Amino acid sequence: MTEIPEHLLNRSKARRESASGDGASGASPAVAASSTPAAATPAKAAEAPKPKAVVPDPAYVVAAKTRRKIPFWAMSALSLLPLWAGVYLLALTPEDKVVEGPRSMGTAVYSGCAGCHGADGAGGAAGQVLYQGSVLKTFPHIEDMLNFVYNGSQKFVAAGLATYGDPNREGGAHRPLGYNGNPMPMQGEKAGGGLSEYQILAVACHIRYDLAGADPEDEQWAAEYETWCSPESEIFKALQSGATSFDTIAKDFAMLETKPREVGTEPRLGSSR
Ligand code: HEC
């Protein structure tokens, strides 16, 4: 037990006496006289100012006060939210092209040909018919088509060549400038055109397999498709990287099961199947 210091006891005694004096002044002297000091003391003591009661916090306030606040690292994580939003949107954006390769690239290149040959290859006053197997009859071998597109009609005329493509084409071989006298403009860079060799291959693949109706599954075209136009085509990749060229393709890929023929960048006669 703690000893209460003497001076505090004295002070409280003095207070009690002064308080009982005040209380007695209001009461009748008889009552005051009859009450014994022993009985009065506890009653007066109860009136002494109590220390202010400390009301304990309710449980939920205690919980709120003691709960850990947002951890410091969470703020930096939260500030990155806009970035996550961007990443999320990127992840949601579907790929434009499912199959990347010569055909899909060729679709874009063909926009430069469609003005004369028609969007679907139906041809018109300014450009030959390509669709419905027509161009496949002219060029049973894709190599001959690449050479003709590279050079265009006028280079063939200048080289003194009377025909292009299959000389035994059903209905007669095609003659340069034989289509209403309109020229097929040169496309290859060395011939003065604007297309790289891999772009010429790409557009040829698009024309043959998307417009003219060659079926990659058909055994007539399966080997050509694999070698030249499939997304895995080694030749296409090598043309793109510059590892091969129309002038060297035949020897660069001589090891293939379906050996490519010469393409070349000089105009030359085509061949039958
Ligand atoms: C200015 C119009 C014009 C443009 C542009 C054009 N061509 Fe031609 N193309 C022709 C004409 C005309 C012929 C017929 C050539 C001839 O008779 O000498 C032809 C012929 C062809 C042939 C031979 C078809 C056959 O069966 O005889 C192919 C293949 C061809 N073009 C592909 C293309 C490609 C690929 C492009 C785009 C990179 C293209 N052309 C852009 C006018 C055009």
Side-chain angles (χ1 to χ4, degrees), residues 109-110 112-113 116-117 126-130 134-135 138-139 145 148-149 153 164 169 174-179 182-185 187 195 203-204 207:
V109 177
Y110 188 75
C113 323
C116 294
H117 288 285
Q128 260 283 15
V129 178
L130 301 174
S134 183
V135 77
T138 310
F139 304 107
M145 178 174 172
F148 178 72
V149 172
S153 312
Y164 65 85
R169 191 189 195 281
H174 282 180
R175 292 179 295 108
L177 300 183
Y179 189 75
N182 291 327
M184 161 67 200
Q187 301 295 327
L195 296 183
V203 75
I207 291 173

Side-chain angles (χ1 to χ4, degrees), residues 138-228:
T138 310
F139 304 107
H141 300 288
I142 192 173
E143 293 92 328
D144 294 342
M145 178 174 172
L146 298 175
N147 178 274
F148 178 72
V149 172
Y150 191 99
N151 286 291
S153 312
Q154 267 137 352
K155 295 270 174 190
F156 272 68
V157 171
L161 301 172
T163 62
Y164 65 85
D166 185 353
N168 302 312
R169 191 189 195 281
E170 189 187 308
H174 282 180
R175 292 179 295 108
L177 300 183
Y179 189 75
N180 307 328
N182 291 327
M184 161 67 200
M186 69 281 245
Q187 301 295 327
E189 285 166 341
K190 275 194 226 166
L195 296 183
S196 305
E197 294 179 358
Y198 71 89
Q199 291 175 314
I200 292 176
L201 172 57
V203 75
C205 290
H206 171 63
I207 291 173
R208 292 170 84 82
Y209 291 93
D210 295 319
L211 302 183
D215 179 359
E217 309 275 298
D218 187 325
E219 69 175 81
Q220 191 183 358
W221 303 113
E224 172 188 293
Y225 182 78
E226 274 313 303
T227 307
W228 297 89

Side-chain angles (χ1 to χ4, degrees), residues 92-98 100:
L92 282 186
T93 312
E95 293 277 323
D96 288 358
K97 292 163 192 160
V98 182
E100 253 306 341

Side-chain angles (χ1 to χ4, degrees), residues 58-80:
Y60 61 88
V61 174
V62 175
K65 282 182 178 169
T66 55
R67 185 183 301 136
R68 293 204 55 188
K69 303 298 179 290
I70 297 176
F72 71 95
W73 51 261
M75 286 319 293
S76 59
L78 287 176
S79 68
L80 288 177

